[in-house]
Amino acid sequence: MSGGSFYQRDRSWHPPAYAPTYKTSVTRSPQKALIALDNTLSEMTGPVFGHDMLGPLDDDLIANFAKDGDPIGQRIIVHGRVLDEDGRPVPGALIEVWQANAGGRYRHKKETYLAPLDPNFGGCGRTISAEDGSYRFRTIKPGPYPWPNGPNDWRPAHIHFSIFGHGFAQRLITQMYFEGDPLIWLCPIVSTIPDKAAIERLIAPLDMANTVPMDARAYKFDIVLRGRRSTLFENRKEGN
Amino acid sequence: MVQSLDRLKESASQTAGPYVHIGCTPNFSGIEGVFPQDLGASMLNAEARGERIRIVGRVFDGVGAALKDAMVEIWQADADGLYPSPQETRGTADANFTGFGRSAGDMATGEFIFETIKPGRVPFKDGRPQAPHVTLWIVARGINIGLHTRLYFGDEAAANEADPILSRIEHRSRVSTLIAPKTLEGGVPTYRHDIVLQGDKETIFFDI
């Protein structure tokens, strides 16, 4: 396993901290420049999560909170690979997901949207990528919902992803959107990302080849984490 | 045209949003029965080596209000300065200590708490010892990309003075934003570490 420092993060590709169309960012954005920190072991290492931590229903949001039947909504499979910037698979990556139910309602004390909770849907799940970087989980397609930003702002349907790679410097939280959703291009959170190509990379296409006939449609979502240098050269001292 | 480097771009970050706790600490947010316990809720067992300490703090926005929807993660070495990771080649880390903690923060006050041990020293790239430290990662609604920072210990003045990262910070008045003073709360050595997202007392965040 290569274990060197990570390639510098391209901060012009990510959303800036201050993005005033997303109002909450206005007072939660650092104003001073980030200080560059060459990776030490503290950044190059990270927690390792084993497949033995997973329960049998952790990757099945249709079943893992069900009380007396399946949740309401469109049954889907989300699958893809976790890769690094060199295109290499990232095995052993813990992926945690959370989402609203089919009506666009989250199971959370502070949620106030009038759409109903689904008694059979919790909205959280997790899995760990395989040796080839692949992962999959089963869920219900989340609904779009209104949120208090502008007077009439709506979030496109989305699934939140939290990903651990091999080093703490790779830590990433992002959101997956669904192909064809017109709300994507109206969303003040999506548009914090300056580059259209970066947004398109967060939109999962419908994947008919992995769809289970008469059961669940599939969406493919690949995730790219930061790549890293090889230790072989990095630790060589000058003159060696 | 020249050849392509064939390199992929990292997936762009998006905010963790107001409901990060549903996915990352579901038991805390009242979704019980899906996972037996929340990830990172416990960092050690009774056999873990090292001095037991507590790290507490809050995250403040630019108008001085404490965030009540943040998630704070920490990553640190064990008492001997070793990480439980395949990249750790200097020895084997304490199997009774995970090094990883995650706290949702109290829903009413926003205070995060980690029950952990004081870490040992980890070398800098050139082999010099760094002062004992903890890496923190903060996400919340309104934070578009997770913020990396560090906690150094207020009772390690000499080590902090010589630390290769702290000593390179140009604006010396900002260094104190990374150093947590030690207090004794209920008999437990406690390091209080508030994080300020914006303004005059803005915490130092790192581009790692």
Side-chain angles (χ1 to χ4, degrees), chain A residues 24 26-29, chain B residues 59-67 195-199:
Chain A
T24 315
V26 171
T27 58
R28 294 184 171 195
S29 42
Chain B
V59 183
F60 292 94
D61 69 14
V63 294
L67 273 61
I195 291 156
V196 180
L197 297 177
Q198 187 186 83

Side-chain angles (χ1 to χ4, degrees), chain A residues 63-76:
Chain A
N64 70 17
F65 195 78
K67 304 292 185 250
D68 56 8
D70 283 352
I72 299 291
Q74 303 175 25
R75 301 158 66 83
I76 61 169

Side-chain angles (χ1 to χ4, degrees), chain B residues 31-109:
Chain B
I31 301 175
E32 283 157 7
V34 180
F35 307 144
Q37 65 167 21
D38 288 334
L39 191 75
S42 167
M43 298 179 66
L44 73 175
N45 64 32
E47 312 298 315
R49 294 192 300 273
E51 181 193 3
R52 267 55 176 174
I53 63 166
R54 186 176 292 149
I55 293 171
V56 299
R58 289 187 291 170
V59 183
F60 292 94
D61 69 14
V63 294
L67 273 61
K68 291 164 190 169
D69 49 16
M71 179 176 81
V72 179
E73 291 182 349
I74 64 171
W75 173 240
Q76 64 165 90
D78 70 7
D80 298 318
L82 298 172
Y83 284 103
S85 160
Q87 273 78 45
E88 178 59 80
T89 55
R90 298 166 298 144
T92 303
D94 185 350
N96 299 304
F97 180 67
T98 69
F100 173 73
R102 174 183 269 177
S103 176
D106 184 88
M107 270 201 196
T109 67

Side-chain angles (χ1 to χ4, degrees), chain A residues 33-226:
Chain A
L34 303 179
I35 292 183
L37 195 167
D38 253 355
N39 289 181
T40 72
L41 267 179
S42 305
E43 292 73 38
M44 292 190 277
T45 58
V48 176
F49 301 106
H51 291 264
D52 57 356
M53 73 174 261
L54 300 176
L57 298 180
D58 282 9
D59 62 355
D60 188 352
L61 284 74
I62 291 180
N64 70 17
F65 195 78
K67 304 292 185 250
D68 56 8
D70 283 352
I72 299 291
Q74 303 175 25
R75 301 158 66 83
I76 61 169
I77 291 158
V78 176
H79 77 103
R81 289 196 299 159
V82 184
L83 305 168
D84 70 13
E85 289 170 285
D86 291 309
R88 291 181 291 222
V90 180
L94 174 66
I95 300 162
E96 299 165 294
V97 294
W98 65 100
Q99 63 168 90
N101 68 23
R105 171 74 185 262
Y106 283 93
R107 184 171 287 279
H108 194 280
K109 294 181 184 76
K110 294 178 179 171
E111 157 78 289
T112 56
Y113 183 33
L114 52 78
L117 283 171
D118 184 329
N120 294 310
F121 192 72
C124 63
R126 61 187 180 186
T127 187
I128 293 178
S129 63
E131 277 305 305
D132 62 355
S134 66
Y135 76 93
R136 64 190 282 129
F137 60 92
R138 195 170 75 137
T139 188
I140 292 294
K141 190 176 178 193
Y145 57 86
W147 61 296
N149 186 63
N152 187 25
D153 279 332
W154 290 71
R155 293 303 324 279
H158 63 277
I159 299 176
H160 295 267
F161 277 69
S162 163
I163 308 111
F164 289 84
H166 297 165
F168 212 60
Q170 288 176 305
R171 197 74 184 83
L172 182 70
I173 282 181
T174 189
Q175 302 181 27
M176 181 198 109
Y177 303 99
F178 293 85
E179 177 183 8
D181 187 341
L183 290 169
I184 293 171
W185 305 105
L186 301 176
C187 175
I189 287 178
V190 172
S191 65
T192 60
I193 300 174
D195 192 324
K196 183 163 185 270
I199 295 171
E200 288 170 337
R201 289 263 321 283
L202 300 182
I203 303 174
L206 174 67
D207 179 359
M208 287 304 285
N210 279 286
T211 286
V212 181
M214 309 304 285
D215 181 346
R217 283 170 301 144
Y219 284 86
K220 192 207 74 160
F221 187 59
D222 288 340
I223 299 158
V224 179
L225 301 179
R226 294 169 70 182

